[in-house]
Amino acid sequence: MHLLLVDGHPIALETLGAVAKGSFTGVCIDSASRLDEAFEKARRAPPVDLVVLDPRLPGCSGLDALVRIRTEFPGLRVLVVSGDDDGDHVHAAMEAGAAGYALKTFRLPELTAVI
């Protein structure tokens, strides 16, 4: 499995990467802290299986990052991981094409199961 972790906070990237490495055998992990960096990495081989995205990136507002990823890579699955538990935000992410929505308040086993 090839994961692309996209989050503007370095500690979140490190934590998500450590969780994925400890939970999945043979996982390949790339990370990006900006949307343009995520696009560069998504275009490389091997192909990305899943983007794990915090939608609040520098230079993006709300779900703009999700919409832009889904437009550029319509077949790519995107899991939104956010601290925002408002039902309207969850619904908007799903409507925008997210494959799922996980809260940053999830415990590690829950987050692993969602991935």
Side-chain angles (χ1 to χ4, degrees):
M1 172 177 16
H2 184 187
L3 296 178
L4 175 56
L5 309 176
V6 185
D7 196 302
H9 298 95
I11 192 75
L13 288 174
E14 289 180 33
T15 302
L16 286 169
V19 168
K21 285 180 184 175
S23 302
F24 304 105
T25 304
V27 67
C28 174
I29 299 172
D30 276 315
S31 61
S33 58
R34 298 179 327 275
L35 190 58
D36 61 334
E37 183 183 8
F39 274 55
E40 288 174 23
K41 293 185 177 187
R43 290 183 183 111
R44 295 184 193 161
V48 172
D49 296 304
L50 178 67
V51 174
V52 179
L53 172 71
D54 181 342
R56 294 179 187 221
L57 293 174
C60 294
S61 62
L63 294 175
D64 184 48
L66 171 62
V67 170
R68 290 171 61 188
I69 289 171
R70 296 289 298 138
T71 299
E72 178 81 15
F73 307 97
L76 188 55
R77 296 173 54 87
V78 180
L79 170 64
V80 173
V81 177
S82 177
D84 194 344
D85 65 354
D86 180 279
D88 290 338
H89 289 104
V90 175
H91 182 71
M94 299 306 288
E95 286 289 315
Y101 194 102
L103 295 173
K104 287 188 174 181
T105 57
F106 279 12
R107 296 179 140 323
L108 294 180
E110 295 169 309
L111 181 58
T112 301
V114 171
I115 293 173

